[in-house]
Every structure is written in structure tokens, then in C-alpha cells.
Amino acid sequence: MTRILVADDHTVVRRGLVQIISETMDLKVTGEAATAREVLDLVRRQPFDVVVLDLNLPDQSGLDTLKQLKAEFPSLPVLVLSMYGEEQYGLRVLRAGAAGYLTKEKTAEELVQAIRKVAGGGRYVSAAMADSLLDLLETDPDLPLHATLSDREFQVMRLLAEGKSVTEIADMLSLSVKTVSTYRARVLEKMNMKSNAELARYALEHALIH
């Protein structure tokens, strides 16, 4: 029996995932979490074979949570589940150590298939994402501007684009205002932009924010 931790801050979504998994004979949800803190506490207390991790958690980004999990439990497969398209986050989460990436619009059958694949030591990406990754390798010089950002810079860029102030971002990420200001300056420089408004327009055009 494959033991699974399901992490999603939306109760309805989480219950739906649990229901899908419970209909199989070989998979069992043995833990549920709504925050990054709960994810880490559970994994430290009991064994799991797979973590199904939402990319958006209220207390910490799923990407940072993924990195913590892989630092403490490098052999634990993490399947990232997200509302964001594969072209926006797929490559980032794979580079951060995820065993797979799946969007929430996928079917129940594909979710079960993905869990089984990563539980068996494999990596899971959809056929569309596999094609996108191949295209990315072939067209590396033409990467979008946001692909040049580090994970933290990308996180700060999205928050700025959503209209958050430097002070708000500092509080959210437990960083100093000076550090966030430095990240903002780097982001603007790397993306050849001059204002948060330009960042917001770019982020909307590339579906990085809603």
C-alpha cells in the first residue's frame, strides 16, 4: 500500500483528491495538510511514500516547501499539483527536486497514474509538458524574461506584479525590507523594466498571475 500525504489549503479540493485516491486498491491517504508547517510536521513524524503538494500554500510557497522537503528527505517523491500551467512552473519545480508536475485540470485517472509513477521511482510530466521541455531545450536563447530569474526573484516578481508593497513582501517572506528592495532591483534589471506596473503587465500577459 502506497502511503500518501495530500497537501492543499482548500478543503474541498483536498477532499476531492482524497476521494479519488481512496477509490484505488493500492493507494491510501494517510495524512492531510493545509499549510507548509503541517506538511513538514507530518513528514517528520510519520512515513510517507509520496507527497502530493499544492504549489500555493497560505504560510509559505509550495516551491519553498518542496525545497525544504527535498533537503530533509531527499528520497521522498513529491508530486506538485497546481492551478498554474506547466509552462509557467513545470521546469522550476522539476529543477527544485519534484518527481512530477500536474495541473489541477487533469483527470482523476491521470492523477492516479502520476502518483503510481513517482511512487515507483519514476518522474511524471504530461505529454504536453514533455514536448514543451524539449522545445525549451531547442530554443534556449529565446527563453522568456522571467526564466532568467532565480526562484526567490521570481517569487518577489509575482508578488510585486500582484500589487504587494516591498514592506508587505518582506513580512510575507520573513525578509528585511532592504533585502526585498535588492531583489526588486535585480528583477527590474534582469527583465529590463523600470516599474512595478511593467512587471504587472508582463505577468498578466504571460499568465503568471490572475
Side-chain angles (χ1 to χ4, degrees):
M1 185 69 69
T2 299
R3 300 160 297 184
I4 300 163
L5 168 59
V6 172
D8 195 296
D9 65 322
H10 292 96
T11 304
V12 172
V13 174
R14 196 168 64 247
R15 287 178 179 172
L17 294 172
V18 172
Q19 178 61 37
I20 291 169
I21 293 168
S22 69
E23 293 174 357
T24 67
M25 297 294 292
D26 56 326
L27 308 177
K28 182 178 178 64
V29 175
T30 56
E32 295 182 44
T35 66
R37 181 184 292 275
E38 289 176 3
V39 171
L40 294 166
D41 286 347
L42 279 169
V43 172
R44 288 164 184 159
R45 289 204 315 263
Q46 66 188 83
F48 294 98
D49 301 305
V50 175
V51 175
V52 177
L53 180 69
D54 182 23
L55 202 57
N56 287 318
L57 295 173
D59 54 338
Q60 179 176 269
S61 79
L63 195 57
D64 287 340
T65 307
L66 167 63
K67 290 176 180 178
Q68 279 188 262
L69 283 171
K70 298 310 294 184
E72 293 189 41
F73 308 93
S75 63
L76 177 62
V78 179
L79 175 65
V80 171
L81 192 64
S82 174
M83 63 182 284
Y84 294 106
E86 296 160 333
E87 67 278 4
Q88 287 130 29
Y89 281 95
L91 188 57
R92 284 186 184 275
V93 300
L94 292 176
R95 282 175 173 165
Y101 187 87
L102 199 66
T103 59
K104 290 183 178 180
E105 65 185 20
K106 299 299 184 183
T107 64
E109 291 77 13
E110 192 163 358
L111 171 65
V112 170
Q113 180 185 355
I115 292 173
R116 287 175 175 150
K117 181 94 178 270
V118 301
R123 304 187 80 180
Y124 185 88
V125 295
S126 69
M129 183 173 172
D131 287 341
S132 295
L133 292 175
L134 287 173
D135 290 342
L136 199 60
L137 291 174
E138 292 173 358
T139 60
D140 194 63
D142 299 320
L143 283 175
L145 291 174
H146 63 271
T148 66
L149 303 177
S150 69
D151 290 334
R152 181 64 86 186
E153 289 167 350
F154 182 70
Q155 187 178 27
V156 169
M157 183 273 288
R158 286 190 63 245
L159 292 171
L160 289 168
E162 288 173 354
K164 300 289 191 301
S165 69
V166 168
T167 301
E168 288 174 322
I169 296 171
D171 289 340
M172 292 173 67
L173 303 183
S174 299
L175 298 172
S176 70
V177 171
K178 182 178 179 181
T179 298
V180 175
S181 295
T182 299
Y183 279 124
R184 177 181 180 275
R186 286 184 196 164
V187 167
L188 291 173
E189 182 180 1
K190 285 186 176 182
M191 299 185 70
N192 194 27
M193 294 180 185
K194 296 180 180 179
S195 68
N196 292 359
E198 287 186 80
L199 291 176
R201 185 163 53 250
Y202 176 92
L204 285 168
E205 289 173 353
H206 289 78
L208 302 177
I209 60 174
H210 293 279

